[in-house]
Every structure is written in structure tokens, then in C-alpha cells.
């Protein structure tokens, strides 16, 4: 196993450990971080003209946001969960639009929205995180 393969294997094990040991609250935080990371990388790929990589990264970001939407409990979450569902739908649509139009301003818009949601999520007091 060469050095790069060893690093990749270690990172996979480290990520799997983090997921296994994470609370539901931490898992959503990890999803948000993953989406933000992929959007940022897609912006770089977009600026380099690497359309294939841009599409791959935006596809992954959309999938992550879709998983966040699927984790919403609309019954218990009420209006907040419904609004988040609608916001996640909006973000996904905007990422699809950014991919086709190659508009980095749209990526910045979605990044800002996702950071705002993440900030609110992280502000939830520990006793309510479940």
C-alpha cells in the first residue's frame, strides 16, 4: 500500500468512526459541513472550467441536502421543519441552476443560506439536541 492509499484508508476509518460515534445532532452538522465543502470545491472547479468535477461535486452537495431534508420530522417539527424542507428544496434547485449556468454567485447564495441554517442548528442548546 503506497502512502496515498494509506492516508485514504485512514481517512475513511476516521470518518466512519466519527459517524458511528456521532449523535443525531452531530450527524446533521456533519452533513452541513459536507455540503458546504462540496459547494466550495465545486466553485473552484467551476472557476477552472472543470465541468465534470463541478457536476460531480454539485451532485454530491445536492444529495447531502436531500438527505438533510429526508431527516426532517414534519410532524414533530411543525412549521420550522416545513420551512426547512422548502428551503432545502430551494437550495437544491439553485445548485442545479448554478451547475448549468456556471454562476458562482448562485453557489455563494446557497452557501450563505446553508451557513445561516448551520449557525441556527449549532445554537440549539445541548439539552434540546436529543
Amino acid at each position: 500500500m503506497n502512502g496515498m492509499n494509506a492516508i485514504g484508508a485512514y481517512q475513511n476509518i476516521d470518518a466512519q468512526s466519527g459517524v458511528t460515534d456521532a449523535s443525531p445532532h452531530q450527524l446533521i452538522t456533519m452533513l452541513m459541513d459536507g455540503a458546504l465543502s462540496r459547494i466550495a470545491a465545486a466553485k473552484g472547479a467551476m472557476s477552472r472550467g472543470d465541468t465534470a468535477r463541478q457536476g460531480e461535486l454539485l451532485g454530491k452537495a445536492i444529495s447531502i441536502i436531500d438527505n438533510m431534508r429526508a431527516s426532517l420530522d414534519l410532524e414533530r417539527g411543525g412549521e420550522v421543519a416545513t420551512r426547512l424542507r422548502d428551503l432545502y428544496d430551494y437550495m437544491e434547485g439553485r445548485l442545479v441552476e448554478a451547475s448549468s449556468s456556471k454562476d458562482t454567485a448562485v453557489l455563494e447564495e446557497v452557501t450563505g443560506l446553508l451557513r445561516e441554517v448551520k449557525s441556527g442548528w449549532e445554537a440549539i442548546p445541548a439539552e434540546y439536541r436529543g
Side-chain angles (χ1 to χ4, degrees), residues 64-74 84-86 88-90 92:
I64 290 170
I65 293 169
D66 191 55
N67 280 299
M68 290 167 39
R69 183 183 52 234
S71 74
L72 294 170
D73 184 340
L74 297 176
L84 277 172
R85 180 199 61 202
D86 295 345
Y88 293 156
D89 283 341
Y90 176 79
E92 287 181 37

Side-chain angles (χ1 to χ4, degrees), residues 38-105:
R38 280 155 184 87
I39 293 168
K43 185 176 176 185
M46 191 179 285
S47 69
R48 292 187 307 276
D50 188 348
T51 305
R53 183 73 176 141
Q54 164 203 310
E56 175 187 344
L57 290 162
L58 289 177
K60 288 179 180 181
I62 290 167
S63 179
I64 290 170
I65 293 169
D66 191 55
N67 280 299
M68 290 167 39
R69 183 183 52 234
S71 74
L72 294 170
D73 184 340
L74 297 176
E75 286 184 30
R76 288 182 39 200
E79 184 179 348
V80 171
T82 300
R83 288 181 183 260
L84 277 172
R85 180 199 61 202
D86 295 345
L87 182 60
Y88 293 156
D89 283 341
Y90 176 79
M91 287 182 196
E92 287 181 37
R94 292 296 281 163
L95 290 176
V96 169
E97 182 181 327
S99 186
S100 63
S101 68
K102 297 179 181 21
D103 187 350
T104 59

Side-chain angles (χ1 to χ4, degrees), residues 22-42:
S23 70
H25 188 271
Q26 291 168 318
L27 289 173
I28 297 298
T29 301
M30 292 168 73
L31 287 171
M32 289 184 205
D33 287 339
L36 287 166
S37 171
R38 280 155 184 87
I39 293 168

